[in-house]
Amino acid sequence: HPAQKDLSVRQGVFYSMGSLASGVYNGFNLAVLSIYLSGFMGPFLQGYLSNTDTIDGAVIQPLVGRWSDRTTNRFGRRRPFIAVFAPISVIFLIAIPYLHGAATEWRVPLIAASIILFSIANNIAADPMKALLVDITPPRQRSRFNAIISMVSTAAQLLFVLFALLISIKKSNTPTVIFWVAGGIMLVSYILVVIGVR
């Protein structure tokens, strides 16, 4: 839009915090979760649960996109989705290792449900956040800023996977602290987007 203001450095920094959440989410889903599930799930279920983002995105993205486009309130079109669903996503993420202690017949269904709900809630938060990029950046800045946040996301993904690998090797398993660190980074990152981006 010709009248759209340039993205300020402050807005850009706060928005890029969401890329940390995206990087940690991808690192957790693609690396940590598949290793964690391999200890007690068959390969088919393990493959599906460690890559639910693609399936969820195909269904959720268009629905949430239309919903957020039509949302009008004093907090904006996108931020309410991030503020509500990011904490829900983190709750289901942190619940995963604790559900491992459930009775044998309930363990797999409960963990599978928690992973699916973690992914769905994250998609409902992340898709409006991605749409927010278009809301706050004029076309002339968009490609350059998109490259920057992609680099931030990739760096966050690599650093989180490295951290998880080092912790897992030291403990010879996938310790609960990895779930807490992932959830903490995601929650703080999303909060910074909600607070800092207008």
Side-chain angles (χ1 to χ4, degrees), residues 63-128:
L63 295 176
V64 174
R66 288 174 62 86
W67 186 12
S68 70
D69 285 343
R70 288 160 175 75
T71 298
T72 54
N73 62 66
R74 64 192 183 96
F75 299 108
R77 293 186 294 172
R78 319 296 182 186
R79 290 191 301 157
F81 291 89
I82 303 168
V84 171
F85 288 96
I88 292 172
S89 176
V90 169
I91 288 168
F92 284 115
L93 165 62
I94 292 172
I96 294 167
Y98 296 99
L99 294 172
H100 198 87
T104 307
E105 66 272 18
W106 288 104
R107 182 184 304 155
V108 170
L110 286 174
I111 289 175
S114 194
I115 291 169
I116 291 167
L117 292 171
F118 153 64
S119 183
I120 288 172
N122 183 75
N123 270 288
I124 296 174
D127 289 338

Side-chain angles (χ1 to χ4, degrees), residues 26-198:
N26 289 332
F28 180 84
N29 253 10
L30 299 174
V32 176
L33 196 55
S34 58
I35 294 170
Y36 171 75
L37 295 176
S38 66
F40 60 95
M41 281 191 186
F44 175 78
L45 195 55
Q46 175 192 338
Y48 167 73
L49 291 175
S50 59
N51 195 22
T52 56
D53 192 40
T54 305
I55 296 165
D56 293 344
V59 177
I60 292 169
Q61 189 169 8
L63 295 176
V64 174
R66 288 174 62 86
W67 186 12
S68 70
D69 285 343
R70 288 160 175 75
T71 298
T72 54
N73 62 66
R74 64 192 183 96
F75 299 108
R77 293 186 294 172
R78 319 296 182 186
R79 290 191 301 157
F81 291 89
I82 303 168
V84 171
F85 288 96
I88 292 172
S89 176
V90 169
I91 288 168
F92 284 115
L93 165 62
I94 292 172
I96 294 167
Y98 296 99
L99 294 172
H100 198 87
T104 307
E105 66 272 18
W106 288 104
R107 182 184 304 155
V108 170
L110 286 174
I111 289 175
S114 194
I115 291 169
I116 291 167
L117 292 171
F118 153 64
S119 183
I120 288 172
N122 183 75
N123 270 288
I124 296 174
D127 289 338
M129 191 190 73
K130 291 170 188 172
L132 185 59
L133 174 66
V134 177
D135 296 343
I136 64 173
T137 56
R140 62 184 172 277
Q141 283 187 306
R142 206 165 290 153
S143 58
R144 183 174 59 182
F145 185 59
N146 197 40
I148 292 169
I149 60 174
S150 294
M151 288 189 290
V152 171
S153 179
T154 302
Q157 181 175 340
L158 291 172
L159 288 172
F160 177 75
V161 170
L162 180 61
F163 159 76
L165 179 64
L166 292 174
I167 294 291
S168 297
I169 288 173
K170 188 176 179 181
K171 300 286 187 181
S172 301
N173 61 13
T174 307
T176 304
V177 68
I178 293 176
F179 294 80
W180 278 94
V181 169
I185 294 172
M186 289 175 64
L187 185 60
V188 170
S189 300
Y190 280 128
I191 287 172
L192 289 172
V193 173
V194 171
I195 292 172
V197 179
R198 296 288 182 270

